[in-house]
Amino acid sequence: VFRRERLAGLSVGAYVASKVAALFPVLAAVSAVLLVVLRMLGRLPAVGWDVYVSLLVTMVIEATSALALGLLASAAVHNAAQAALALPMLCFPQVLFGGAIVPVDKMAFPGRLMSLGLSNRHAFEALGRDLDLDRLTATLPAMSAYRETFSGGTGGSLIALASFAVALTLATVWVLDRRSAVRSAG
């Protein structure tokens, strides 16, 4: 699709922007539906609309970051087999070092360092702060390991998530631009 669009004269930036613009509303809708379903199933507490708006904003920014990572992975590989191999290498670190399974401050130094570069860590912390999970770390034994994880505001986490989305989108443009320049030179 990319090659055909480039032959038609579409710039790399416009191509990537069209992907983001087409998928962003879908991500926002899926995030909203997920919040509604979780609330209906009793998996989220009954809180004010401001909390749900904060959760939705966090989820949409994280979904956009994940979209940008997926676009970068798609741009970097040459075929579907490579994409299938890249997917676990991108997803497993997000799960393992995101902080939900093992709190970040309980990880060895290399794990803590790696977690800084993963969007899931910042999303997990922001969502926990939005839900005020810090109040549970002193009363629930299962939450005591997350003592410092949910303290503070969400601003830094949201800035990190948005930065991931922008940086990964720009990296996608760069990779596609390099690939198209190599093809036209060759």
Side-chain angles (χ1 to χ4, degrees):
V1 173
F2 174 69
R3 277 185 242 139
R4 191 172 5 145
E5 298 292 338
R6 286 293 287 160
L7 290 173
L10 187 67
S11 72
V12 174
Y15 173 78
V16 173
S18 72
K19 294 287 187 189
V20 173
L23 293 171
F24 184 82
V26 174
L27 296 173
V30 168
S31 297
V33 168
L34 179 61
L35 281 174
V36 169
V37 169
L38 288 173
R39 178 62 199 119
M40 288 173 50
L41 294 174
R43 303 301 294 170
L44 286 175
V47 291
W49 283 103
D50 58 325
V51 174
Y52 290 117
V53 169
S54 295
L55 292 171
L56 180 62
V57 166
T58 300
M59 290 171 65
V60 169
I61 296 172
E62 165 59 8
T64 305
S65 177
L67 167 64
L69 180 61
L71 289 174
L72 178 59
S74 177
V77 299
H78 296 335
N79 57 47
Q82 287 179 340
L85 290 173
L87 189 61
M89 291 188 294
L90 295 173
C91 294
F92 288 148
Q94 292 281 354
V95 172
L96 296 174
F97 297 102
I101 296 172
V102 175
V104 172
D105 58 342
K106 304 287 186 219
M107 292 180 192
F109 180 74
R112 285 194 308 269
L113 195 59
M114 183 183 294
S115 74
L116 286 172
L118 299 174
S119 60
N120 275 11
R121 174 208 174 152
H122 302 284
F124 175 67
E125 291 176 358
L127 292 169
R129 290 177 186 134
D130 289 341
L131 290 168
D132 194 25
L133 295 182
D134 187 38
R135 63 185 163 71
L136 302 175
T137 59
T139 57
L140 293 176
M143 291 294 292
S144 65
Y146 296 96
R147 193 162 312 273
E148 299 299 318
T149 303
F150 305 118
S151 60
T154 60
S157 294
L158 294 180
I159 289 170
L161 288 171
S163 298
F164 283 124
V166 169
L168 292 168
T169 302
L170 291 175
T172 301
V173 170
W174 182 80
V175 167
L176 287 174
D177 193 49
R178 300 280 299 164
R179 288 184 73 180
S180 65
V182 168
R183 279 198 185 100
S184 40

